[in-house]
Amino acid sequence: MHQDFCGGWSSPGLCSEMDPYNGNLLREYLLKVNFTGLSGEEFHFLPNGDGPPRYRILNFKQIHPGKYEWITVGMFENRTLMMDMEKLQFHMNHTLYPDSLCSLPCQFNEAQMFSGKGVLCCWNCVPCGTYQYLPTRHECVDCPLGTLPSDDLLSCVPIPEEYLTYDSTIAIVAMTVASLGFVAAVYTIYIFVKFFDTPVVKASGKELSFVLLIGILLCYGMTFVIIAKPTNITCGAQKFGVGLCFSICYSALLTKTNRIARIFRAGKRTIKRPKFISPQSQLLICFGLVATQLLIGVVWLLLSPPAAGPYYPTRESNQLVCLSAVGLSYMIGFAYPIVLIVVCTVYAVLTRKIPEAFNESKHIGFTMYTTCIIWLAFVPIYFSTASNIEIRLATMCLSISLSATVSLICLFTPKLYIILLHPERNVRQSMVSSKLHYSLKQSTPNSSSLRVDSGTQSDGEIELHQRLKSCGSLSSGFSRSTSATQTCSNGTSISTQTLDSIGRGFDDFDVQL
């Protein structure tokens, strides 16, 4: 270039034609340069401006045991590969060439992580996690809750919703128990209505008995509400109903036990009839107790509106549940019934020594003891099944049904037994006789344990009561005697009709045999 424009070595330095010089023109002259280097090898530029490729191919191989060296096994020069195959030695195979690349292609579940910025031919293959997918070939991304990666890992697919259905085995068991109990409760109501005016029904405190039976029916019905597919409506019914049905049952039982306890406690202190033992008073007390639960339920619904939604106890689960069933929210509805159960159990213990003639307190006591056992078993199960709402709800259904069944069997079976199988015992004379036998047995000639309220009894009835007090005891006992008269131990004779008349005073207490 200098020769062409400046005359060569005869004119050293840049001439005006080369100042300033043209870079593109200089490049054209450089690409035409060729010469023999100090190594004796020819050098020239390639059309793209690179020097001629010339490589010595080395193989790191074992010369003898314990010694390794790099051995020249070939050359690449003038676009020609020359290899001495006899000198090649590979670790695993002596006949196959290793792959000539930086990185192998990644598997379908692996992301390509490049070795460095701008390096596109070398990468590391990083396996994606169990719950990750590949939106691109270079990034693993977590699938949202309620979804799992597709088989090709290109997207996430929703997990089918799970909830307690009517055709599941555990739901069928719970509904079967509830259905049988519901039928038994309806049949009991039918019998009580049919024999409404008989002594057994009257003496059982029929008003509270019907309240208790309604509560038992609601307990059985709650099973079908709990198993229903979660919606805002069914969730609201669950929140409001689980505590209400129990409150109705145990409010009635608490009212009964409180009444019995007050009657016998008052008998030791005063001759006056205790207050608030009439059927109307008992219903008001019972409804007042239930109203507390109603208030709790309404406030709970207002502060925490019912809602159904997804619940993910594990990464592979998608359960449709009432959100109140998650955690310990339902214990708000159970708190007040548990208090009623505890108080009712305390009253059952206090009235456990009431004589056999007034043994409904014993039936209530057995009911409460069994109920406590059921709830002591239910509470740990409820807390330990937080990861499986289906099991938790099914357990709740069975516990509610078992509690209702215990009340139905313990409190109403003895009455149905007399009404249906021994109607001869469902008469006033039989019940009055047992009550008077207890009273006379406990009386002494000077005692006042057999009392009447002078404000409600006639002078003749008061006189008959005084005669019984002076009688001391009946020499023939008072067991189902059908004779026209009864003889006292002092020889005094009292007609059975008279005793029946006196016995009407006991019926005011409606105490079950």
Side-chain angles (χ1 to χ4, degrees):
M1 182 178 178
H2 189 273
Q3 180 70 33
D4 291 344
F5 290 95
C6 297
W9 298 109
S10 60
S11 300
L14 295 177
C15 60
S16 59
E17 287 79 0
M18 292 185 64
D19 187 15
Y21 64 88
N22 188 324
N24 291 330
L25 184 61
L26 176 61
R27 181 176 182 276
E28 293 179 5
Y29 277 92
L30 288 174
L31 290 177
K32 299 175 182 178
V33 170
N34 62 80
F35 58 90
T36 301
L38 296 177
S39 63
E41 297 176 347
E42 293 291 331
F43 180 86
H44 64 276
F45 288 105
L46 297 177
N48 62 359
D50 294 336
R54 187 181 297 115
Y55 302 102
R56 186 162 60 101
I57 301 173
L58 305 177
N59 183 207
F60 190 71
K61 60 186 297 185
Q62 186 178 21
I63 304 303
H64 52 77
K67 184 177 181 180
Y68 295 84
E69 291 183 0
W70 289 101
I71 304 299
T72 301
V73 295
M75 293 290 295
F76 180 82
E77 189 175 8
N78 296 327
R79 300 186 181 182
T80 302
L81 177 64
M82 296 171 289
M83 294 288 297
D84 187 353
M85 301 303 294
E86 297 296 330
K87 294 181 179 181
L88 285 177
Q89 177 182 333
F90 300 116
H91 178 63
M92 298 299 295
N93 196 309
H94 293 280
T95 59
L96 297 179
Y97 299 107
D99 294 330
S100 181
L101 45 82
C102 181
S103 300
L104 293 173
C106 294
Q107 300 294 324
F108 79 98
N109 63 336
E110 296 176 335
Q112 291 180 343
M113 308 298 291
F114 292 112
S115 302
K117 186 176 181 180
V119 179
L120 301 180
C121 60
C122 294
W123 58 79
N124 296 320
C125 294
V126 179
C128 292
T130 304
Y131 307 110
Q132 293 182 322
Y133 76 110
L134 286 165
T136 68
R137 292 302 305 168
H138 310 295
E139 183 183 20
C140 293
V141 178
D142 291 332
C143 282
L145 290 175
T147 63
L148 291 175
S150 60
D151 293 337
D152 56 8
L153 299 187
L154 297 180
S155 62
C156 295
V157 295
I159 301 173
E161 286 184 335
E162 301 174 0
Y163 52 88
L164 191 60
T165 58
Y166 288 114
D167 57 353
S168 63
T169 302
I170 193 168
I172 291 175
V173 173
M175 289 189 297
T176 300
V177 174
S179 299
L180 294 176
F182 192 89
V183 171
V186 170
Y187 180 71
T188 302
I189 293 176
Y190 166 74
I191 294 299
F192 265 55
V193 171
K194 183 176 180 180
F195 296 91
F196 188 79
D197 293 323
T198 61
V200 166
V201 175
K202 287 183 177 180
S204 66
K206 54 190 176 183
E207 294 82 6
L208 290 179
S209 294
F210 280 110
V211 172
L212 178 57
L213 286 171
I214 291 173
I216 291 174
L217 284 177
L218 291 177
C219 286
Y220 289 127
M222 281 305 302
T223 293
F224 300 92
V225 176
I226 294 173
I227 296 178
K229 182 178 180 179
T231 63
N232 292 349
I233 295 177
T234 57
C235 291
Q238 289 182 26
K239 292 180 68 172
F240 192 79
V242 289
L244 179 61
C245 61
F246 278 123
S247 296
I248 294 175
C249 292
Y250 297 115
S251 293
L253 288 178
L254 177 57
T255 306
K256 276 177 171 281
T257 53
N258 172 265
R259 181 177 186 239
I260 295 173
R262 288 190 295 112
I263 288 174
F264 281 88
R265 185 170 60 248
K268 297 178 181 179
R269 299 196 306 262
T270 178
I271 63 173
K272 293 184 179 180
R273 177 174 175 170
K275 296 180 179 180
F276 308 115
I277 64 172
S278 65
Q280 296 80 4
S281 299
Q282 295 298 290
L283 287 177
L284 288 176
I285 294 173
C286 181
F287 291 154
L289 294 173
V290 175
T292 303
Q293 179 64 36
L294 291 174
L295 179 61
I296 293 174
V298 171
V299 173
W300 188 18
L301 290 176
L302 293 177
L303 296 180
S304 177
Y311 173 59
Y312 312 110
T314 65
R315 192 59 183 77
E316 298 182 0
S317 298
N318 180 18
Q319 299 183 10
L320 178 62
V321 300
C322 293
L323 298 182
S324 297
V326 180
L328 307 179
S329 297
Y330 271 158
M331 297 310 296
I332 296 175
F334 286 131
Y336 182 67
I338 290 176
V339 173
L340 292 178
I341 290 173
V342 172
V343 176
C344 194
T345 303
V346 171
Y347 270 110
V349 173
L350 294 177
T351 58
R352 68 188 186 280
K353 294 183 179 181
I354 287 179
E356 187 68 24
F358 303 90
N359 62 6
E360 188 177 39
S361 62
K362 293 178 173 58
H363 296 157
I364 295 175
F366 186 77
T367 300
M368 299 316 303
Y369 306 148
T370 307
T371 300
C372 288
I373 293 174
I374 293 173
W375 279 78
L376 287 175
F378 164 72
V379 171
I381 294 175
Y382 183 85
F383 284 105
S384 62
T385 54
S387 61
N388 194 322
I389 301 299
E390 294 183 13
I391 299 297
R392 168 176 283 192
L393 294 180
T395 303
M396 185 190 301
C397 292
L398 291 174
S399 298
I400 293 174
S401 295
L402 287 177
S403 299
T405 302
V406 167
S407 300
L408 187 64
I409 292 176
C410 294
L411 296 176
F412 293 97
T413 299
K415 301 176 180 62
L416 296 180
Y417 175 76
I418 293 177
I419 293 173
L420 299 177
L421 300 181
H422 292 280
E424 72 279 1
R425 295 171 55 184
N426 189 11
V427 293
R428 185 181 189 84
Q429 179 65 35
S430 172
M431 307 179 84
V432 170
S433 298
S434 292
K435 294 173 183 177
L436 284 177
H437 173 63
Y438 161 70
S439 185
L440 292 173
K441 181 179 179 181
Q442 300 296 321
S443 299
T444 62
N446 296 322
S447 70
S448 60
S449 61
L450 184 63
R451 305 182 181 91
V452 295
D453 186 345
S454 59
T456 59
Q457 301 291 327
S458 65
D459 293 340
E461 289 173 330
I462 296 175
E463 179 182 356
L464 290 174
H465 278 81
Q466 296 299 326
R467 290 175 59 189
L468 280 176
K469 289 171 61 178
S470 64
C471 178
S473 63
L474 297 176
S475 59
S476 62
F478 212 82
S479 57
R480 307 291 184 267
S481 175
T482 58
S483 60
T485 60
Q486 296 288 333
T487 304
C488 299
S489 57
N490 61 5
T492 303
S493 296
I494 302 176
S495 69
T496 301
Q497 181 178 3
T498 299
L499 292 174
D500 182 43
S501 173
I502 297 173
R504 292 191 183 97
F506 288 92
D507 285 345
D508 290 337
F509 297 109
D510 288 341
V511 182
Q512 170 63 34
L513 288 178

